Amino acid sequence: MPGREALDIMKVAEAQPVRDAKPSLMGMTRDDLADALRSIGIEERQVRMRVAQLWHWIYLRGVPSFERMTNVSKDLRAVLAERFVIGRPEIVAEQVSVDGTRKWLLRFPPRGAGRPVEVETVYIPEEGRGTLCVSSQVGCTLTCSFCHTGTQKLVRNLTKEEIVAQIVVARERLGDFPHMSAEPGAIVPREGRFVSNIVMMGMGEPLYNFDAVRDALLVASDGEGLSLSKRRITLSTSGVVPLIPRAGAEIGTMLAISLHAVRDDLRDELVPLNRKYPIAALMEACRAYPGLSNARRITFEYVMLKGVNDSPADARELVRLLRGIPAKINLIPFNPWPGSAYACSDWDTIETFAEVVNRAGYASPIRTPRGRDILAACGQLKSASERLKVRERLALEAMIGGADED
Ligand code: SAH
Ligand code: SF4
């Protein structure tokens, strides 16, 4: 909508139920669902079939209540409704950018003695696909010096339910589920969906919440449910080397590495985890990542910091470092945030850097900022939050587009 200045901020919290005391089936794996069914006395010989039914309704059809599960007997629907919910988080706010980027502020109930937490999930529509940027933690234990999340303490890990719920809410709000279409019986084909790609590039380090992220991504990639192919899911890590082989073996999605520097002394500063797992060890883990080929490459994220990591010599070293690894390079213009010690490289510098990388045979897309008007960008969300009462930062877009070109 050209010329539209005002933000489309919708308060939808009132419409959403706050968490019921009943356990939620959202985010459950097939094994979890089987246990839940056993706990209400479903006979063992029926468990498999009932799991398949629930799976279909919760993840493929995306229904929010048991009433809609028309092939489940009325009696069982009543028991299920009495004992469980299909939880949705509270949507505190939904913002739509003039470029179509959407940002949701989701509130999840307290766990144990904790407080409710809020996370942001961002949707970026592009030609022929739409990418959802999902968070894995509230805050982060790591302290990358250019990242705003790095200034926030880890509040807690998100659960598998909360990770899957970010995807379900986005699909629901975008009208991606078949029960929301004009022909409620129709199964929406994969290509017809708004959310076609997922990037774990929101708040937090996904590999430090390994089990929940693994389970959630296996639910998301299940072909009988949310049906996002693993090739269209990208897990981004700052380089938790010992867990990269497990990510390959147990999750099997695409991998993105937040590299950002080509020398250990500089990377130690930008990504302090490098002191524990230096560049050589990280590269070795990348080389060993299963299933790599020209069609299945690792994305290396590289944030462009003025006068810090953006020289042509850095670009040449980057190319040398990645030799032999099927790789894509994602150049991310730095998103400044109040109090950050860095500036974004000049456009010419970024282009010169990209040229060196291109000449070496790598496509090196430079991410164009999206959703600026709703502050859906790295490192900006905290300041946004202060003004818009959006408390947590989620991640963004800049690096998203090139994470998976499929
Ligand atoms: N913790 C994971 C995933 C979340 S961060 C990781 O570090 O990979 C997602 C991406 O955003 C990372 O590549 C991160 O380095 C980058 N990023 C963080 N803050 C940024 C900023 N202010 N500007 C540009 N990119 C940023
Ligand atoms: Fe954490 Fe990633 Fe930010 Fe580093 S870049 S502080 S790992 S969220």
Side-chain angles (χ1 to χ4, degrees):
M1 247 174 278
R4 198 183 66 163
E5 299 274 285
L7 301 181
D8 188 357
I9 302 178
M10 217 166 95
K11 281 265 173 197
V12 285
E14 297 71 40
Q16 298 289 323
V18 187
R19 163 165 299 239
D20 217 294
K22 300 172 197 171
S24 172
L25 303 186
M26 175 58 63
M28 282 195 174
T29 62
R30 288 176 202 272
D31 286 349
D32 298 333
L33 286 175
D35 288 343
L37 288 166
R38 288 186 192 105
S39 77
I40 58 166
I42 299 294
E43 286 175 51
E44 201 52 44
R45 64 189 168 83
Q46 279 205 12
V47 166
R48 234 181 110 111
M49 181 263 292
R50 296 294 181 204
V51 166
Q53 285 178 329
L54 287 175
W55 193 270
H56 176 89
W57 287 109
I58 297 171
Y59 297 127
L60 188 78
R61 302 265 176 166
V63 300
S65 72
F66 297 103
E67 269 155 61
R68 313 277 274 271
M69 302 184 173
T70 47
N71 63 351
V72 177
S73 76
K74 257 203 159 135
D75 290 352
L76 179 54
R77 273 167 14 208
V79 177
L80 287 167
E82 205 175 286
R83 298 288 297 275
F84 302 110
V85 290
I86 308 172
R88 299 285 198 269
E90 190 180 335
I91 304 177
V92 180
E94 175 177 79
Q95 292 175 260
V96 185
S97 159
V98 290
D99 69 13
T101 301
R102 282 176 192 237
K103 187 172 80 173
W104 295 276
L105 177 64
L106 305 178
R107 183 177 299 147
F108 294 105
R111 302 266 153 197
R115 302 155 69 120
V117 292
E118 289 172 358
V119 296
E120 288 177 338
T121 303
V122 173
Y123 172 72
I124 297 126
E126 287 167 294
E127 194 62 39
R129 70 174 184 187
T131 301
L132 192 69
C133 183
V134 171
S135 295
S136 57
Q137 301 182 308
V138 182
C140 190
T141 52
L142 302 173
T143 52
C144 303
S145 54
F146 56 89
C147 171
H148 192 261
T149 305
T151 66
Q152 302 168 37
K153 283 215 172 87
L154 177 74
V155 176
R156 70 167 170 81
N157 280 335
L158 293 176
T159 62
K160 58 185 149 185
E161 171 184 352
E162 292 161 341
I163 297 168
V164 172
Q166 295 174 63
I167 305 170
V168 169
V169 163
R171 283 230 152 131
E172 195 158 71
R173 296 299 301 166
L174 293 163
D176 251 352
F177 284 123
H179 77 91
M180 310 178 83
S181 76
E183 295 171 76
I187 302 290
V188 178
R190 271 176 212 192
E191 309 78 61
R193 290 177 165 177
F194 287 104
V195 178
S196 61
N197 294 55
I198 301 280
V199 290
M200 294 302 297
M201 291 184 187
M203 239 186 184
E205 169 48 58
L207 293 186
Y208 278 155
N209 184 14
F210 191 90
D211 290 358
V213 167
R214 175 198 56 210
D215 288 356
L217 293 183
L218 293 181
V219 167
S221 59
D222 187 291
E224 287 164 29
L226 289 162
S227 298
L228 287 143
S229 129
K230 287 185 183 178
R231 296 185 44 128
R232 289 172 174 264
I233 301 178
T234 301
L235 186 153
S236 174
T237 178
S238 55
V240 187
V241 167
L243 292 176
I244 291 176
R246 275 190 69 195
E250 297 177 38
I251 309 177
T253 58
M254 307 300 282
L255 184 67
I257 301 287
S258 295
L259 189 62
H260 308 317
V262 289
R263 299 186 326 264
D264 279 323
D265 59 336
L266 180 59
R267 195 162 190 273
D268 283 353
E269 209 179 286
L270 300 180
V271 184
L273 186 65
N274 194 69
R275 294 181 203 147
K276 215 165 165 186
Y277 308 117
I279 294 174
L282 181 56
M283 290 302 130
E284 208 176 302
C286 288
R287 278 176 219 283
Y289 195 73
L292 293 184
S293 68
N294 269 347
R296 217 171 162 268
R297 288 177 282 168
I298 296 181
T299 300
F300 289 88
E301 295 155 274
Y302 197 96
V303 64
M304 299 300 293
L305 302 170
K306 188 175 192 159
V308 175
N309 63 354
D310 59 355
S311 72
D314 287 311
R316 287 192 295 271
E317 180 57 17
L318 176 61
V319 166
R320 202 195 58 77
L321 202 59
L322 300 187
R323 205 165 286 153
I325 305 177
K328 299 186 240 190
I329 298 167
N330 234 351
L331 301 181
I332 312 171
F334 171 64
N335 268 305
W337 37 275
S340 63
Y342 304 99
C344 182
S345 309
D346 301 326
W347 195 250
D348 285 355
T349 312
I350 301 181
E351 286 202 326
T352 307
F353 195 101
E355 237 174 74
V356 174
V357 169
N358 281 336
R359 261 190 275 121
Y362 295 100
S364 53
I366 305 163
R367 296 291 124 233
T368 32
R370 297 283 304 272
R372 278 254 155 115
D373 53 342
I374 58 167
L375 301 152
C378 265
Q380 294 191 330
L381 296 180
K382 176 78 183 293
S383 45
S385 71
E386 260 122 45
R387 260 171 296 149
L388 294 172
K389 299 231 170 3
V390 170
R391 263 187 301 253
E392 270 79 353
R393 151 188 184 268
L394 153 338
L396 343 117
E397 66 50 73
M399 74 290 318
I400 279 171
D404 178 359
E405 250 103 57
D406 299 312

